[in-house]
Amino acid sequence: MIPRTTTVGSLKTYRYNLQRSAHTMEKSQTTVTTGRTFNSFADDPTTAARSFQLRRAYLRTSSQYDLNESVVRKYEVAYGAMESVSKTVDTDEESVGSAYYAILRAQNAATASGRNALGQELTAHANDLVQTINGRYGDNFVFAGADGLNVPFTWEAKQNPAYDPDFDPDNPPDPTNPPSKAEIAQKTSRYLKQDGTVTNYASEAGRVLCYRGIPVDTSDPDELKKLDYYSNSEKKYVDIGLGYDMNGGKVESSSVYDIAMQGVNFLGGYGTETKTTTIPDPNNPDGTIEVSFTLPRNIVTITERMGAILQNCSSNSGTFASDMEEAEFDLLAEQFEEASARIKDKHINLTTQAQFLKTNQQQLKTNADSINEQIEAIDYVDPAAAISDFIFAKYSYDTALKVGNSILAQSLMDYLSF
Amino acid sequence: MGIGTFGSFTQARLAIYASQTGLTVTGNNISNVNTKGYTRQRLDLRSLHSSGADRYYSSTDVRVGQGVLCTGVSQLRDPYLDIRYRSKMAEVGAMDVKLGGLEGIAQVLDEVGKGEIPQGKDFGIVAAQFEKVYEALKGITDQTGHSEYDVQIRSACEALAKQLNAYAAGLQELYDNTVSSYEKDVTEVNTILKNIRSLNESIREANIYGDNALELRDERNNLIDQLSEYMKINVDYTTEEIGLGVTVEKLIISLGNANPDASIHTDTSVLIDGIYGAQFSINPVLNPAAYQYVDEFGGLTNDPHKAAKVPERNPDSLLDPADPDYDGTNLWMDKDGNPTDVEADANLVLKQNDDFVEADFKDGLLYLKANGAKTASFDEAAHDSNFGLTISELRDARGRLDNIIQKFQEQLATEAEYQASGGKAVTVTDPVTGMISVTTFRKEVQPAVRRNSDWNGEYQYVTPGGRGTNDPAKAAQIPVMNPARDPDAENSEDNPWYMDAGTPPAPTSVLADAQKVPQENENWDPDDPNCYRYFEADGTTPTNDIDAARYSKVTYYKQLYTKSPSHPVTLDDNDLLGALQSERELLTECGEFSQKDTITGRGPTSDENAASKRGIQYYQKTLDLLANQFATQFNMANQGVLTDPDGNLVTQVWDAGKKKMVSGLVTIPPEGGAGSYQLSKKDMLSNREWDMSKVPAGAKQWLVDNGYKTDDGDADMMAYLKADHKLLDTDGNVVDGADIGEKAGDVMVRNAFIGGNLFSNNGDSDSDKDPPVTASNISISYEWSKGPMIVNSFTCPPGEFIPASTDSENILENMTSLFYKKLEYRPDTLTDGARSDSMFSGTFEEMWINIGTTLGDDMKTTTTLLDNYYEESISLDTSRDAVSGVDFNDEAMNLMMYAKSYNAACRLMTTIDSVLEKLINNTGVIT
């Protein structure tokens, strides 16, 4: 039996189909006008989630790119500073204007009358080195490790280790044995002058190079511990897209990048070394005597000390103030060469790091482009396909309208004639 | 009997009338082609034929019909299609409303294609804001210590908090609107039910007067179709006797058995019973003080029949096992009022509501308003949070209560029950429910014989034919022999062989005079019970007398009829399927946040599928959980104790020798002594947690005594470390700033704890508890709003008391990591009673995307189902129209048919007129 098709039924079915056709056309139209393959989570939940994941990856990569760029700039500033430092401490004999050139001249000059001037030049070099290494990138000191807000290297007044703030000359600890004037001066003076005498005036005091408040040529174990920490352990990691990961509550060091540049490492180091040499001694049968010197490792304090020795030379003859000072100068020259070598290593290392950062920068850009392409692929429609779909949907809709126009046109009613 | 001379005129007249009526019906069909719900009508015709035969009927005559009769107008409708259509419409209604609600949620939460469009991409709003926080954190890892970068993070976080606030407000607005819509739809359903009841009454009245009331039925069908969108229903058409053998149609609409739990029967509750109808109401919040009992589901009731029954406790026994005198004996009272150890023997009593206050009950203050005030008015009461529904009792338009009469299956009764009733009906009226129970009794008597199953087949007598019998009348009759005779001598008067029948018997030689007795079977032994075929009625005495073995088997029966006044029915959680239920589920269902009892328990709110049903509340709670997780994690990351690079606690204590503060050990109590405790790195679980199990009791007590305790009153080391410890000099005066170092005190400790909450539950406070942080209240803490407070690092260089100025260890390890870390989201974090295991594991952004994906999946499924259901409903509606709809071709045919028959009838009349003219006026006339 053929199902009965009625006028009312046909109208309802037509109305439903027309609605569907209009809906399909509207969807196609939205796709064409927005250019998106989906416009809500409900359209395609899985792809929408994937799309947001890709967008997150894109934003993260962009943010890592920006950070990497900032780090690259910082390294460029650091590299520039180290270029200047390297020139100053260059041990090439032909390097005119370098500190080493001045040292050689002081050592080998036929006439030594210029040693005072050379001493001043070395002192100036020491100052220059400190100024250079204290440079900033933006608001931060580049070579301050993780303490970028504070100037890393400072010249501090030389403290008098015998100073006792509680010492009262009028009430000595042992009244039966009153202190001498010299003892009183020692205990009541805060500073030491450059020549080792005491003073209470900071302006008269000698100067000590400090890194983040710690004298770089200290031999105090507590202070050395701090410098060891700064030099070897203190890190300032940033996430520049190396696969940030945590391990046991700590960030995995290989997944981040350490941007803490410790100035003390870039100026030859810190602490002291003891070296031994011989100096003339007429009292000994062989005419010499062995003497030891505690020598700084930091190139600034080396240079500073050498400058002081040269300035201590006779202004007339240029001879060293003593055999001890001459011997110390020679040993300091060796120290200078060794420190210079360490600085060159650091400079080369810095170059390598800067190169890595630039490569990483390129990689991040490539990654961002790749993610962008993926987003384009899953989020956005092929215009040709979208327009074709729309045209087809519109064709269907137009056809449906055409059908509607004639659906009620013909029935037996129209042929009745009485 | 033939038709009368003018009878043919009547025949033609009836034909004209039938054709004209047919045209009218056709016209009515054409007129109503666009009327919604109109069912096409058909004229019912019957041939008029006089039946019966008379005695003198001529066998040569013929019987001819006398025309056509219009017997009525009927509708062409298929009830089965109605059922299928309405069932489908319940599913369409359910999915339509659900999809509408989900679209409302999507308008708030779906960020696809939304947001700023940097670099040509729309990154969402909240999704992008999370990344902005991440980006700002990136900035501060590079530019640590500069307050403007802290401000950038704060701005990004503030925007995120505001956005979450806005989304929470959007969801709350949707929730409130859905509540209004739900109330409106309940009212709409009630209006439909009232209208159907009213139409039933009109149709019934029309039926009584013989009218089919077809148009009223169409109207009613429309209403039933509407009702079917709101809920799945069953529609039954029965008949109702109204007396004098007249029956009219009775419509019964009941709920459509939608509850998957077969043990629940409230899902078949009657909504319409003829002229009686029920109304829906949303359950109110009950005043716990106004109800005397507790039912088995923990609900409140004043109906003792619904109250749960519990074993009666012995008032003299100790009930608390924690009581030192508790011995666990005689905890219960038995039915005789004696104490007992056995709970199973205990007397059962109604479970009392501990909150019951008689005054509230007497004043009828049964409900609570939204503000918590008590009220006697149902209309003023706040809605129960479950938005459950109650179906009222069935009443007619004048408020009269419907009574439901039920006849139960007849059951066996005992003789005692029968005797107690005296064989008459027993009527009992329940004083609480008003139900009248009538029990009728009857007995059946059946004759029976008790046979001996061990009978050995031997009969007592022998018949003349030699067969066995127990009937002495059928036995062969033999004379009684004279015991004194001489058997060797001939029978004679002198030697009579027989005894006569006299009293006493006398010897006789005449055989005919001899007394005759039945001949006994020689094998039959009267003392052997197995020689008897039956037992007597007592069941034990053997007998061959069948009459003695006969007894009567009596069976008693009872038949229960109940007549119960219709009563309100509180619907179970899943009794409805349709738009109303979907709307309710949008309001109540919270998926993984459902109470454990709801999923596993029984009762009006139980639903084993609740964990997978997600309404507005699910998205509110998920958003709250995300906001809470975000705030909690960042708050935790931004506070802790300072440590040195080796992880030791960095505390500042006064070194009298060095005359300065140094990093040193802290002892609790500070003065030391027995039971004191020295704070140690090894007991630190993290910068924010202390292993209190390592702290001795004495130190714990000192902490508690000095106010360093948790909300539960336990010792709290972190509270001690967080406290603002003053530095005191030797005189007990507070020293600070420049004075430090100038004066030495005995106990000088500076706290090592730094940082604080970045987020709070209110912009004017720093607290993230009471109430907890949610999406609607998440704010930047008051302290953070005043200035930078992000802790860059908790690690101090050796010998230092503060971290290096641009050290960003904490930001990288504990804050940036939060954007990589898979965090566990547990429903019970903010919802007491919800499950405690993780519902999702992922980063903040993944959780956020998960909300969208869950919503999208739900919408997609619902859309697909709605499409299917709607298409099926359209198909079914078209099928209904195939039966009930008007078709122009059909009606055109009818027009032609009735027009032709009309013409033919007129022709018939003309013909008859013509022939009668001949007969009357021209017959016999000779011209």
Side-chain angles (χ1 to χ4, degrees):
Chain A
M1 186 179 129
I2 299 170
R4 184 169 175 266
T5 303
T6 64
T7 308
V8 174
S10 300
L11 277 172
K12 277 189 185 168
T13 308
Y14 171 70
R15 190 176 295 136
Y16 171 69
N17 289 334
L18 186 63
Q19 277 173 357
R20 285 198 78 87
S21 190
H23 179 68
T24 306
M25 190 181 70
E26 192 271 336
K27 293 276 280 184
S28 301
Q29 187 178 308
T30 307
T31 304
V32 171
T33 50
T34 61
R36 298 184 56 92
T37 52
F38 55 92
N39 285 290
S40 72
F41 265 107
D43 286 347
D44 191 343
T46 311
T47 309
R50 173 84 185 122
S51 168
F52 272 111
Q53 275 177 344
L54 285 171
R55 282 171 154 73
R56 188 165 71 239
Y58 179 81
L59 285 174
R60 273 201 190 168
T61 308
S62 299
S63 142
Q64 286 159 350
Y65 179 89
D66 292 345
L67 181 55
N68 196 87
E69 189 165 276
S70 171
V71 174
V72 166
R73 294 279 158 75
K74 176 180 172 177
Y75 270 72
E76 282 173 351
V77 171
Y79 183 80
M82 285 309 293
E83 278 284 304
S84 173
V85 168
S86 292
K87 277 185 186 168
T88 305
V89 301
D90 190 356
T91 51
D92 184 349
E93 294 176 5
E94 305 300 322
S95 177
V96 179
S98 71
Y100 191 67
Y101 189 74
I103 292 167
L104 288 180
R105 282 167 60 203
Q107 281 184 318
N108 305 326
T111 60
S113 58
R115 279 183 176 146
N116 284 159
L118 288 171
Q120 287 173 359
E121 186 183 334
L122 284 179
T123 303
H125 276 307
N127 289 337
D128 289 347
L129 285 172
V130 170
Q131 282 178 351
T132 304
I133 212 79
N134 276 350
R136 293 175 185 234
Y137 170 61
D139 293 331
N140 287 4
F141 293 97
V142 176
F143 290 100
D147 196 22
L149 298 187
N150 300 312
V151 61
F153 288 98
T154 52
W155 294 106
E156 303 289 345
K158 200 170 187 178
Q159 300 287 323
N160 174 15
Y163 171 69
D164 181 358
D166 292 338
F167 179 76
D168 182 357
D170 298 331
N171 294 298
D174 182 7
T176 59
N177 185 18
S180 64
K181 278 191 175 179
E183 282 176 329
I184 291 171
Q186 275 291 327
K187 291 200 171 187
T188 57
S189 300
R190 285 177 183 265
Y191 308 111
L192 293 177
K193 294 181 182 173
Q194 196 65 33
D195 60 5
T197 58
V198 297
T199 177
N200 258 326
Y201 299 102
S203 57
E204 293 178 353
R207 64 179 192 174
V208 175
L209 181 68
C210 293
Y211 180 66
R212 296 170 66 177
I214 313 295
V216 296
D217 50 359
T218 183
S219 52
D220 180 286
D222 286 344
E223 291 181 333
L224 278 173
K225 189 180 173 188
K226 288 185 185 181
L227 288 173
D228 284 344
Y229 170 74
Y230 295 144
S231 173
N232 304 316
S233 303
E234 188 181 69
K235 309 287 182 192
K236 181 172 170 59
Y237 289 125
V238 288
D239 174 17
I240 52 169
L242 303 178
Y244 180 95
D245 196 12
M246 298 287 287
N247 188 1
K250 288 282 177 189
V251 69
E252 180 65 51
S253 60
S254 61
S255 68
V256 286
Y257 198 78
D258 179 23
I259 60 166
M261 286 186 274
Q262 304 288 351
V264 75
N265 292 341
F266 286 86
L267 288 181
Y270 56 92
T272 55
E273 287 175 336
T274 301
K275 285 194 173 176
T276 306
T277 188
T278 55
I279 59 170
D281 183 2
N283 297 325
N284 276 350
D286 61 354
T288 59
I289 187 171
E290 192 171 84
V291 289
S292 313
F293 292 95
T294 301
L295 302 169
R297 297 183 79 240
N298 186 282
I299 201 138
V300 176
T301 51
I302 293 169
T303 309
E304 164 84 354
R305 177 64 188 148
M306 292 177 91
I309 290 174
L310 290 181
Q311 286 180 68
N312 212 21
C313 290
S314 166
S315 57
N316 295 322
S317 64
T319 54
F320 286 96
S322 64
D323 291 340
M324 284 287 281
E325 287 200 350
E326 185 173 4
E328 185 184 356
F329 186 85
D330 289 343
L331 287 176
L332 282 169
E334 286 177 25
Q335 285 290 93
F336 186 96
E337 288 167 6
E338 290 170 12
S340 175
R342 289 197 293 272
I343 290 169
K344 278 182 186 163
D345 287 347
K346 276 285 176 189
H347 190 191
I348 291 166
N349 194 24
L350 191 65
T351 311
T352 310
Q353 288 179 328
Q355 190 55 46
F356 167 78
L357 287 167
K358 285 183 178 171
T359 308
N360 190 55
Q361 183 83 340
Q362 189 57 43
Q363 184 61 43
L364 288 168
K365 188 171 187 321
T366 308
N367 287 352
D369 290 345
S370 169
I371 295 167
N372 200 15
E373 282 174 19
Q374 289 184 60
I375 294 174
E376 292 284 343
I378 70 165
D379 268 33
Y380 300 102
V381 293
D382 171 13
I387 291 169
S388 302
D389 287 349
F390 171 67
I391 289 172
F392 182 75
K394 189 168 188 314
Y395 177 75
S396 299
Y397 179 69
D398 290 345
T399 309
L401 289 178
K402 189 82 176 169
V403 169
N405 197 33
S406 59
I407 190 169
L408 292 178
Q410 301 297 321
S411 82
L412 189 55
M413 288 283 181
D414 301 288
Y415 296 93
L416 285 184
S417 173
F418 293 104
Chain B
M1 185 179 72
I3 193 167
T5 303
F6 296 102
S8 295
F9 276 116
T10 305
Q11 197 176 36
R13 183 171 61 81
L14 287 175
I16 291 169
Y17 173 72
S19 298
Q20 189 160 2
T21 310
L23 284 171
T24 309
V25 172
T26 305
N28 194 36
N29 283 343
I30 293 170
S31 306
N32 285 293
V33 66
N34 293 322
T35 305
K36 188 171 185 294
Y38 178 76
T39 305
R40 72 176 169 127
Q41 297 178 0
R42 181 182 61 191
L43 178 64
D44 296 329
L45 299 174
R46 187 166 65 81
S47 171
L48 179 58
H49 180 262
S50 64
S51 60
D54 51 63
R55 180 177 294 274
Y56 306 106
Y57 177 69
S58 166
S59 60
T60 58
D61 199 359
V62 292
R63 291 174 173 274
V64 180
Q66 296 169 350
V68 65
L69 279 183
C70 301
T71 56
V73 179
S74 58
Q75 287 182 324
L76 292 161
R77 203 166 178 91
D78 183 345
Y80 178 62
L81 282 173
D82 279 344
I83 291 170
R84 287 179 61 199
Y85 173 77
R86 286 164 186 161
S87 174
K88 198 53 65 185
M89 284 312 288
E91 288 166 335
V92 170
M95 290 304 123
D96 194 27
V97 167
K98 182 178 178 184
L99 187 60
L102 293 177
E103 280 172 349
I105 297 168
Q107 281 167 11
V108 179
L109 299 181
D110 193 338
E111 297 189 333
V112 171
K114 292 184 187 172
E116 295 174 38
I117 311 187
Q119 298 139 31
K121 305 284 178 298
D122 29 20
F123 287 82
I125 299 169
V126 164
Q129 203 57 43
F130 275 121
E131 285 308 313
K132 283 182 181 169
V133 175
Y134 172 83
E135 196 176 346
L137 284 170
K138 270 269 189 295
I140 206 169
T141 54
D142 183 33
Q143 298 293 327
T144 319
H146 297 287
S147 58
E148 61 265 36
Y149 288 90
D150 187 302
V151 172
Q152 279 183 21
I153 297 178
R154 192 179 66 199
S155 300
C157 287
E158 194 161 15
L160 178 63
K162 295 283 182 212
Q163 200 56 51
L164 289 172
N165 295 161
Y167 281 8
L171 288 178
Q172 187 59 43
E173 188 181 345
L174 177 67
Y175 182 87
D176 293 342
N177 290 341
T178 309
V179 170
S180 301
S181 174
Y182 182 59
E183 289 168 341
K184 189 176 78 58
D185 284 348
V186 169
T187 307
E188 178 65 24
V189 166
N190 285 338
T191 306
I192 291 172
L193 288 173
K194 274 183 189 169
N195 289 341
I196 292 175
R197 182 183 68 181
S198 172
L199 281 168
N200 276 354
E201 198 168 348
S202 302
I203 292 168
R204 183 175 184 270
E205 199 167 326
N207 276 185
I208 290 171
Y209 292 107
D211 179 9
N212 277 340
L214 300 182
E215 282 69 25
L216 294 179
R217 285 168 192 272
D218 282 343
E219 200 177 331
R220 187 173 68 180
N221 279 330
N222 263 340
L223 289 171
I224 296 172
D225 285 353
Q226 283 179 34
L227 183 64
S228 70
E229 285 186 48
Y230 288 103
M231 61 193 69
K232 189 178 178 187
I233 51 173
N234 271 340
V235 181
D236 286 329
Y237 296 93
T238 62
T239 54
E240 179 187 8
E241 284 191 24
I242 56 169
L244 299 174
V246 179
T247 57
V248 292
E249 183 195 271
K250 178 180 175 185
L251 174 78
I252 297 175
I253 300 177
S254 52
L255 291 182
N257 197 12
N259 198 322
D261 187 341
S263 66
I264 291 173
H265 302 294
T266 46
D267 59 346
T268 55
S269 300
V270 176
L271 303 177
I272 294 285
D273 183 26
I275 59 169
Y276 297 94
Q279 295 279 279
F280 280 86
S281 61
I282 304 171
N283 294 341
V285 177
L286 303 181
N287 171 14
Y291 294 85
Q292 199 169 352
Y293 307 112
V294 178
D295 68 19
E296 61 175 310
F297 307 121
L300 299 169
T301 180
N302 279 322
D303 183 350
H305 294 81
K306 291 180 181 171
K309 291 188 174 170
V310 292
E312 185 180 0
R313 301 299 298 246
N314 175 5
D316 298 328
S317 69
L318 290 168
L319 303 181
D320 184 5
D323 194 312
D325 294 331
Y326 173 85
D327 60 4
T329 60
N330 289 334
L331 296 176
W332 322 103
M333 298 296 284
D334 69 12
K335 294 177 179 63
D336 300 325
N338 300 316
T340 176
D341 283 342
V342 185
E343 186 176 351
D345 293 343
N347 183 36
L348 293 178
V349 293
L350 301 182
K351 190 174 183 182
Q352 301 288 321
N353 172 21
D354 294 337
D355 300 324
F356 179 66
V357 176
E358 195 157 1
D360 282 8
F361 171 68
K362 283 185 174 171
D363 294 342
L365 300 173
L366 298 177
Y367 312 112
L368 294 180
K369 295 181 187 175
N371 61 8
K374 297 169 184 175
T375 178
S377 166
F378 180 90
D379 294 335
E380 288 179 0
H383 295 320
D384 175 59
S385 60
N386 196 42
F387 289 93
L389 292 169
T390 295
I391 301 176
S392 73
E393 62 276 5
L394 294 157
R395 290 184 184 276
D396 69 8
R398 283 158 288 283
R400 289 177 299 207
L401 200 60
D402 188 18
N403 282 299
I404 297 169
I405 296 173
Q406 277 185 291
K407 179 183 179 185
F408 294 86
Q409 195 170 7
E410 191 174 50
Q411 291 182 321
L412 286 174
T414 63
E415 184 180 357
E417 285 178 313
Y418 180 84
Q419 297 300 344
S421 70
K424 296 176 182 174
V426 175
T427 303
V428 177
T429 304
D430 189 316
V432 177
T433 63
M435 185 173 77
I436 300 168
S437 305
V438 179
T439 311
T440 59
F441 294 88
R442 69 182 179 86
K443 69 175 180 181
E444 271 183 15
V445 180
Q446 290 177 326
V449 172
R450 293 187 195 279
R451 296 181 184 279
N452 180 5
S453 58
D454 296 327
W455 175 53
N456 56 15
E458 295 293 338
Y459 291 91
Q460 189 174 352
Y461 305 107
V462 180
T463 65
R467 296 172 61 188
T469 179
N470 283 325
D471 186 354
K474 292 179 181 174
Q477 300 295 315
I478 57 173
V480 178
M481 304 306 285
N482 179 7
R485 78 182 191 280
D486 177 3
D488 296 329
E490 288 282 327
N491 179 23
S492 65
E493 288 183 358
D494 297 331
N495 185 27
W497 276 20
Y498 311 109
M499 297 296 286
D500 67 11
T503 306
T508 178
S509 59
V510 181
L511 182 58
D513 295 339
Q515 183 183 358
K516 302 291 191 309
V517 294
Q519 183 183 354
E520 292 204 338
N521 176 6
E522 290 175 355
N523 295 326
W524 187 79
D525 179 0
D527 296 328
D528 182 359
N530 291 345
C531 284
Y532 294 90
R533 198 172 177 181
Y534 309 108
F535 287 109
E536 289 183 4
D538 63 5
T540 55
T541 309
T543 181
N544 276 329
D545 182 353
I546 193 166
D547 291 331
R550 288 190 197 281
Y551 74 107
S552 296
K553 183 182 176 186
V554 183
T555 311
Y556 299 95
Y557 296 94
K558 61 182 178 184
Q559 171 76 60
L560 177 65
Y561 301 85
T562 59
K563 178 185 176 186
S564 47
S566 166
H567 56 84
V569 177
T570 301
L571 292 181
D572 190 76
D573 202 46
N574 290 310
D575 280 355
L576 298 180
L577 170 66
L580 214 53
Q581 177 73 354
S582 287
E583 215 160 23
R584 191 176 146 253
E585 290 187 347
L586 277 172
L587 291 172
T588 59
E589 297 295 352
C590 46
E592 287 84 343
F593 296 91
S594 302
Q595 297 289 300
K596 281 183 284 189
D597 291 347
T598 301
I599 300 167
T600 58
R602 287 287 315 275
T605 61
S606 72
D607 181 1
E608 62 185 12
N609 298 319
S612 60
K613 292 180 181 175
R614 301 180 182 91
I616 300 169
Q617 279 199 33
Y618 166 81
Y619 294 96
Q620 287 180 308
K621 287 176 187 289
T622 312
L623 200 61
D624 285 346
L625 194 55
L626 174 60
N628 182 275
Q629 182 81 286
F630 186 79
T632 304
Q633 293 293 335
F634 268 92
N635 286 349
M636 278 175 61
N638 199 55
Q639 49 197 307
V641 293
L642 293 169
T643 60
D644 66 14
D646 297 328
N648 295 307
L649 189 66
V650 172
T651 50
Q652 297 182 58
V653 297
W654 181 252
D655 185 326
K658 294 180 180 175
K659 299 189 180 345
K660 62 178 182 178
M661 301 296 288
V662 297
S663 183
L665 299 171
V666 173
T667 302
I668 293 175
E671 59 269 22
S676 63
Y677 170 69
Q678 204 168 60
L679 274 62
S680 167
K681 164 196 172 184
K682 65 181 175 16
D683 297 341
M684 290 170 64
L685 297 173
S686 71
N687 280 60
R688 304 165 204 93
E689 288 178 282
W690 204 275
D691 185 354
M692 294 304 292
S693 66
K694 302 288 173 55
V695 182
K700 280 184 182 172
Q701 191 57 50
W702 183 89
L703 288 169
V704 171
D705 293 346
N706 286 274
Y708 305 120
K709 53 190 177 184
T710 63
D711 294 342
D712 297 331
D714 299 327
D716 186 355
M717 185 64 75
M718 297 315 291
Y720 171 76
L721 292 168
K722 276 183 187 179
D724 185 17
H725 300 288
K726 302 294 183 190
L727 304 183
L728 304 178
D729 66 12
T730 46
D731 301 326
N733 300 316
V734 176
V735 292
D736 205 351
D739 290 340
I740 296 174
E742 299 299 328
K743 296 180 177 181
D746 291 333
V747 182
M748 297 185 72
V749 178
R750 179 170 278 173
N751 48 350
F753 194 96
I754 60 170
N757 285 349
L758 296 173
F759 296 93
S760 68
N761 54 23
N762 185 322
D764 295 333
S765 85
D766 296 327
S767 172
D768 59 355
K769 292 184 173 59
D770 301 325
V773 172
T774 62
S776 57
N777 68 19
I778 185 171
S779 312
I780 299 300
S781 71
Y782 178 65
E783 193 63 30
W784 197 17
S785 69
K786 288 194 297 185
M789 70 172 294
I790 286 184
V791 176
N792 301 327
S793 174
F794 292 103
T795 305
C796 304
E800 299 291 332
F801 302 123
I802 56 170
S805 63
T806 53
D807 183 358
S808 54
E809 182 189 58
N810 184 51
I811 295 168
L812 191 75
E813 284 192 350
N814 297 322
M815 294 187 179
T816 304
S817 66
L818 292 175
F819 288 85
Y820 290 93
K821 199 188 280 182
K822 304 280 186 192
L823 299 166
E824 301 296 333
Y825 290 84
R826 295 189 168 80
D828 69 342
T829 304
L830 295 174
T831 310
D832 290 339
R835 74 186 218 197
S836 56
D837 56 328
S838 175
M839 63 178 274
F840 182 76
S841 175
T843 63
F844 299 130
E845 297 105 315
E846 284 169 346
M847 178 64 170
W848 172 245
I849 300 304
N850 179 56
I851 295 174
T853 310
T854 305
L855 178 61
D857 281 337
D858 213 355
M859 285 181 72
K860 193 168 187 186
T861 308
T862 309
T863 305
T864 307
L865 286 174
L866 179 60
D867 274 356
N868 288 343
Y869 291 153
Y870 185 60
E871 198 158 347
E872 286 179 49
S873 75
I874 290 290
S875 171
L876 285 168
D877 198 24
T878 307
S879 298
R880 287 207 307 177
D881 283 330
V883 177
S884 309
V886 175
D887 178 52
F888 283 146
N889 284 332
D890 268 1
E891 302 310 326
M893 281 303 300
N894 286 340
L895 284 180
M896 288 168 62
M897 191 173 73
Y898 287 123
K900 292 289 181 193
S901 64
Y902 192 103
N903 289 343
C906 291
R907 175 65 62 192
L908 173 64
M909 185 166 278
T910 308
T911 306
I912 292 167
D913 183 48
S914 164
V915 296
L916 285 182
E917 170 69 20
K918 187 73 177 173
L919 177 69
I920 295 168
N921 295 327
N922 297 327
T923 303
V925 177
I926 301 169
T927 56

